[in-house]
Amino acid sequence: VLTDLKQEMLIQREETFGPVVAIASFDGSDEEAIRLSNDSQYGLSASVYSKDLPRATRISQRIRAGQVGVNAYPMMSADASCPWVGQKGSGFGYHSGPDGWRQFSVPQSIVGTEALDVTV
């Protein structure tokens, strides 16, 4: 658990794979929370915790991350049908969900001027 962090510290700006909890204070405004959350070249996952669920939901929609949990950790709470994707420098491509599974297939069109027997 790391506390009293400043935004310019690497722990606040780089992807850190835990177990690590980074705690920093901010002015309490929605705009500042969103600005700090998006102030990174990475965007794999984020969480917003609040007693005010509508407010947390509004904030979560403005965070540039592939998964955003509201009062939850996305990796542990997401349904398997949700695509797992990063934004910005946190990954290219995605997995899970129909969109994730689709990238492992290659569409093909078979056309002809006569009826074709195309059985699989």
Side-chain angles (χ1 to χ4, degrees), residues 3 9 12 19 26 34-35 58 65-66 69 77 80 85 92 113 119:
T3 60
M9 295 177 168
Q12 294 293 86
F26 70 104
I34 294 161
R35 186 189 71 74
R58 283 191 311 274
S77 302
V85 59
F92 305 95
T113 58
T119 57

Side-chain angles (χ1 to χ4, degrees), residues 18-75:
V20 174
V21 175
I23 300 173
S25 61
F26 70 104
D27 69 10
S29 72
D30 294 359
E31 291 304 316
E32 180 73 354
I34 294 161
R35 186 189 71 74
L36 291 170
S37 294
N38 291 331
D39 186 27
S40 172
Q41 65 180 337
Y42 301 104
L44 182 59
S45 179
S47 295
V48 177
Y49 289 89
S50 176
K51 292 179 183 177
D52 185 340
L53 193 57
R55 179 183 183 200
T57 302
R58 283 191 311 274
I59 291 169
S60 71
Q61 293 169 334
R62 295 182 55 201
I63 293 176
R64 293 187 319 263
Q67 298 73 227
V68 182
V70 175
N71 294 338
Y73 176 57
M75 185 177 245

Side-chain angles (χ1 to χ4, degrees), residues 106-112:
V106 178
Q108 180 184 40
S109 298
I110 300 175
V111 297

